[in-house]
Amino acid sequence: MKTPRSWKTSAIALALAGVLGFSVAKMNPHLLPEAAASAQPVAAQAVTGVASPQMALPNFSEIVSRYGPAVVNISVTGQVKTANRAQQSPGVDPDDPFYDFFRRFGIPGPQGGGGEQAQPLHALGSGFIISPDGLILTNAHVVADASEVTVKLTDKREFTAKVLGADKATDIAVLRIKADNLPTVKLGEPASSHVGDWVLAIGSPFGFENSVTAGIISAKSRSLPDEGYTPFIQTDAPINPGNSGGPLFNLNGEVIGINSQIYSRSGGFQGLSFSIPIDIARNVEQQIVAHGKVTRGRLGITIQDVNQALAQSFGLKTPSGALVSGVEPDSPGARAGLKAGDIVLKLNGKTVDNSSELPPAIAAMAPGADAAMQVWRNGKTLDITAKVGEAQDTRVAAANPTQDHGRLGLSVRPLSPDEKQESGIAGGLVVEQVAGPAAQAGIEPGDVVLAINGTNINSADQLKSLVSKAGDHVALLVQRGDARIFVPINLG
């Protein structure tokens, strides 16, 4: 889960950057990645009428009983790059995590210089099943840098999951496990939810599996720094590290959001939690499953919110719309005639009340579609239609290569021509991801496998064939930087 640190509300409304090519004027917050978290369904029975001391609180047990089994725990292993303390002074401190690499591989420690080192990654989060054949939604930050993802169901079954894709812009990841007839959640419509409605989350805060918490929707369409594509649902349901990726349920037992971030000065819950609307998540999921990537529209404009002072300055009766503060040269917005100082009041006939509504709306449009806008300029309205462009930062990161890890636990690829020229290595395979026996032996992403049991390796198929014929032990000749050494691996 991510944690936005404390911020002050800016007099200048939060400007949103869109996948749309929007740049955004931000408040002054800092978003910190929170320990992978997961949250889960919300259960309750409808409550109507005005609250009174006699009114009973909703009972969430039925929702938990019915949809709780579709909420999963996610554990991740992998490696992340960190600053290498060992390279900042002569030798390697035995307490430094990188010390184990040199000890294991028998390579002399560095004698100074900068660089990075790989640190083991172990993270926990949550997710939920949306199809009986094993399709799962979670947060992208939960599975970031993962070499292996394990999904655990409430009945204690465990599966190795394949990450079909992870979209950092919306913090959505799509997983697949090989299973049938799985329990699933029911998806709802965030637009039908209201501020003050009860919601429920299920997840694994601090590793406490299948914990249930409840609260209310505190606000909708909430903007956060660097998150221009997502109009977050804000709640006061207790969410903590380990809840990330879990579902947020309404009283009908429908998932309306994915728990993603919290506002905290301590790293723990402080009354402000933020969830990604499920309709945005579903759009990302459908694109990843169908095309392997996410395509978003863009206008190439910078916007900000309109406060009372700005409304008066521009002659608007009420503070609403999205104020254009900048237009990229030769962008879709520029070609359509948008100018700095324009205020977008409507998009395709729908009123734009806040600037936070415009980026996700444009992002959801297909490149080439027409964006019909009603714009306020020089004290009067005019209609402008822009041909939506395509955002350039829409490449989806796949956490699992298409090639199977196999017995070794390696995903590999041939060296590129540039890599061969730079390294002077004629053959071999670059390690893309590592898990299982190879990870335990100390192999890392970026290593080059040159040979197995003395036989030079030139293709992934050759490596797979030789491993399949090997016994319980193999020796890989590995090159890392300028060092080359045989690494024994136990396959038994």
Side-chain angles (χ1 to χ4, degrees), residues 108-250:
Q111 298 299 314
E116 295 181 331
Q117 67 180 30
Q119 291 274 27
L121 168 69
H122 299 283
L124 297 174
S126 301
F128 52 98
I129 306 169
I130 61 172
S131 68
D133 59 350
L135 207 60
I136 296 172
L137 291 183
T138 186
N139 285 147
H141 74 262
V142 169
V143 297
D145 300 307
S147 59
E148 188 168 341
V149 179
T150 301
V151 170
K152 183 179 179 181
L153 277 58
T154 56
D155 61 10
K156 301 190 183 302
R157 285 186 293 168
E158 295 188 11
F159 300 87
T160 297
K162 179 179 181 180
V163 180
L164 300 183
D167 180 47
K168 293 183 179 179
T170 53
D171 196 22
I172 298 298
V174 184
L175 315 182
R176 169 81 73 180
I177 60 175
K178 293 182 179 180
D180 296 310
N181 300 317
L182 294 171
T184 63
V185 298
K186 180 181 179 182
L187 304 182
E189 295 291 338
S192 63
S193 298
H194 304 283
V195 174
D197 285 352
W198 282 95
V199 286
L200 180 78
I202 304 176
S204 303
F206 300 108
F208 293 102
E209 297 180 358
N210 306 111
S211 295
V212 181
T213 56
I216 62 169
I217 295 176
S218 305
K220 296 183 66 178
S221 297
R222 187 67 83 191
S223 302
L224 297 179
D226 301 320
E227 305 287 349
Y229 305 130
T230 307
F232 287 93
I233 301 171
Q234 179 185 327
T235 77
D236 69 350
I239 302 297
N240 283 291
N243 275 121
S244 281
L248 185 73
F249 285 81
N250 61 20

Side-chain angles (χ1 to χ4, degrees), residues 168-478:
K168 293 183 179 179
T170 53
D171 196 22
I172 298 298
V174 184
L175 315 182
R176 169 81 73 180
I177 60 175
K178 293 182 179 180
D180 296 310
N181 300 317
L182 294 171
T184 63
V185 298
K186 180 181 179 182
L187 304 182
E189 295 291 338
S192 63
S193 298
H194 304 283
V195 174
D197 285 352
W198 282 95
V199 286
L200 180 78
I202 304 176
S204 303
F206 300 108
F208 293 102
E209 297 180 358
N210 306 111
S211 295
V212 181
T213 56
I216 62 169
I217 295 176
S218 305
K220 296 183 66 178
S221 297
R222 187 67 83 191
S223 302
L224 297 179
D226 301 320
E227 305 287 349
Y229 305 130
T230 307
F232 287 93
I233 301 171
Q234 179 185 327
T235 77
D236 69 350
I239 302 297
N240 283 291
N243 275 121
S244 281
L248 185 73
F249 285 81
N250 61 20
L251 290 181
N252 296 322
E254 300 167 331
V255 176
I256 59 171
I258 300 178
N259 298 311
S260 175
Q261 303 189 29
I262 61 174
Y263 170 99
S264 178
R265 295 181 178 180
S266 65
F269 175 70
Q270 289 190 272
L272 297 173
S273 303
F274 300 93
S275 301
I276 304 161
I278 195 62
D279 52 350
I280 290 179
R282 192 66 196 274
N283 177 268
V284 170
E285 172 261 320
Q286 290 171 345
Q287 291 194 59
I288 288 176
V289 172
H291 309 294
K293 68 175 185 177
V294 178
T295 300
R296 296 187 177 88
R298 70 181 292 271
L299 289 180
I301 64 176
T302 302
I303 61 172
Q304 68 182 75
D305 218 359
V306 180
N307 58 21
Q308 184 63 46
L310 287 171
Q312 292 175 346
S313 299
F314 287 97
L316 274 178
K317 293 182 179 180
T318 58
S320 62
L323 173 60
V324 178
S325 56
V327 182
E328 295 178 13
D330 198 32
S331 65
R335 291 192 291 270
L338 284 172
K339 299 179 180 179
D342 288 346
I343 298 177
V344 180
L345 302 177
K346 291 184 178 181
L347 174 64
N348 293 332
K350 184 177 180 180
T351 300
V352 178
D353 292 318
N354 301 295
S355 63
S356 61
E357 299 172 2
L358 189 59
I362 294 293
M365 299 181 68
D370 289 333
M373 294 169 283
Q374 183 185 83
V375 173
W376 181 262
R377 179 188 294 173
N378 298 329
K380 59 183 180 181
T381 60
L382 66 155
D383 295 325
I384 292 179
T385 299
K387 189 74 68 176
V388 176
E390 181 175 353
Q392 299 302 308
D393 59 345
T394 58
R395 186 169 60 90
V396 173
N400 295 82
T402 55
Q403 184 184 340
D404 189 2
H405 281 155
R407 290 183 70 195
L408 279 176
L410 291 180
S411 290
V412 295
R413 63 169 174 81
L415 277 75
S416 67
D418 289 341
E419 289 171 331
K420 289 182 179 180
Q421 184 175 358
E422 291 178 8
S423 65
I425 302 174
L429 300 170
V430 179
V431 175
E432 290 275 276
Q433 293 184 13
V434 58
Q440 295 173 9
I443 304 296
E444 296 180 359
D447 289 346
V448 179
V449 179
L450 302 174
I452 176 172
N453 291 341
T455 302
N456 292 336
I457 297 299
N458 295 305
S459 71
D461 288 339
Q462 181 191 14
L463 177 63
K464 184 176 181 180
S465 175
L466 291 174
V467 171
S468 67
K469 299 173 184 177
D472 292 338
H473 301 275
V474 296
L476 295 186
L477 180 59
V478 174

